[in-house]
Amino acid sequence: MPANTIEHNRTRQNFEGVSSIWLFGYGSLIYKVDFPFLEQRPATIHGWERRFWQGSHDHRGTPEAPGRVVTLIESPGAACKGMAYRVSPTVFEHLDVREKNGYLRFATTMTFEDGGECEGLVYIATQDNEAFLGHAPDAEIARQIAGAAGPSGPNSEYLLRLADSLRALGDACPHTFAIETHLRSDAERDT
Ligand code: SIN
């Protein structure tokens, strides 16, 4: 899978006759809402875990010093909370560019807080994409994030804003919070 997924995503779903579709966001799509939406609802997807295993060479890092951003890893029994948006399919023209560094649109089922379910889409960067970095110890991920920045800003801002958003949503994501703790204590130690 090439690092740039724009063309690939354009061929993945047929939006003919579709006026709106639900999109599930679990990373920056929770807090950086730079696209129009018709409706917004907290939601959960099951069988997936959030992981800082995707490299960011274009937004929160550079090709020389990539940052780390989240993707989803299959994990039976797990649940991942995020924000669902009902959007016009035209929104994907913008989002496919924003998520171009390895993310593909997949169909998913999301569950709303009232128990209702809905089919929609989610961007996932799978292990076969060129920017995938994979597992590393939490402390090492925190150090990499602390040292990375790109056109969208410091990688630490991505992590801290995501952690705050997950607290607001009530998502106990031990992976994100452990990396946040490392990042904050390293910063304190270095001051
Ligand atoms: C998402 O937020 O749903 C995808 C990953 C990201 O853009 O951070």
Side-chain angles (χ1 to χ4, degrees), residues 91-166:
V91 159
F92 292 107
E93 285 161 30
H94 164 65
L95 289 181
D96 286 351
V97 175
R98 173 171 156 179
E99 303 293 325
K100 70 180 188 309
N101 198 35
Y103 292 86
L104 291 176
R105 294 190 235 122
F106 287 89
T108 190
T109 303
M110 54 197 95
T111 309
F112 298 119
E113 287 182 322
D114 63 4
E117 283 192 348
C118 178
E119 297 304 309
L121 297 178
V122 59
Y123 282 97
I124 298 177
T126 54
Q127 311 202 8
D128 58 355
N129 86 86
E130 283 175 12
F132 190 81
L133 296 176
H135 170 81
D138 293 339
E140 200 178 298
I141 293 180
R143 276 196 298 277
Q144 183 174 353
I145 289 174
S152 298
N155 201 178
S156 55
E157 183 195 41
Y158 177 104
L159 166 66
L160 297 175
R161 288 192 70 184
L162 178 59
D164 282 345
S165 306
L166 296 182

Side-chain angles (χ1 to χ4, degrees), residues 23-31 69-71 98-99 103 122-124 158:
L23 167 70
F24 178 80
Y26 57 91
S28 67
L29 288 175
I30 299 177
Y31 63 81
V69 290
V70 291
T71 184
R98 173 171 156 179
E99 303 293 325
Y103 292 86
V122 59
Y123 282 97
I124 298 177
Y158 177 104

Side-chain angles (χ1 to χ4, degrees), residues 11-26:
T11 63
R12 281 177 78 78
Q13 284 98 23
N14 181 359
F15 294 128
E16 227 175 276
V18 176
S19 60
S20 71
I21 185 154
W22 282 97
L23 167 70
F24 178 80
Y26 57 91

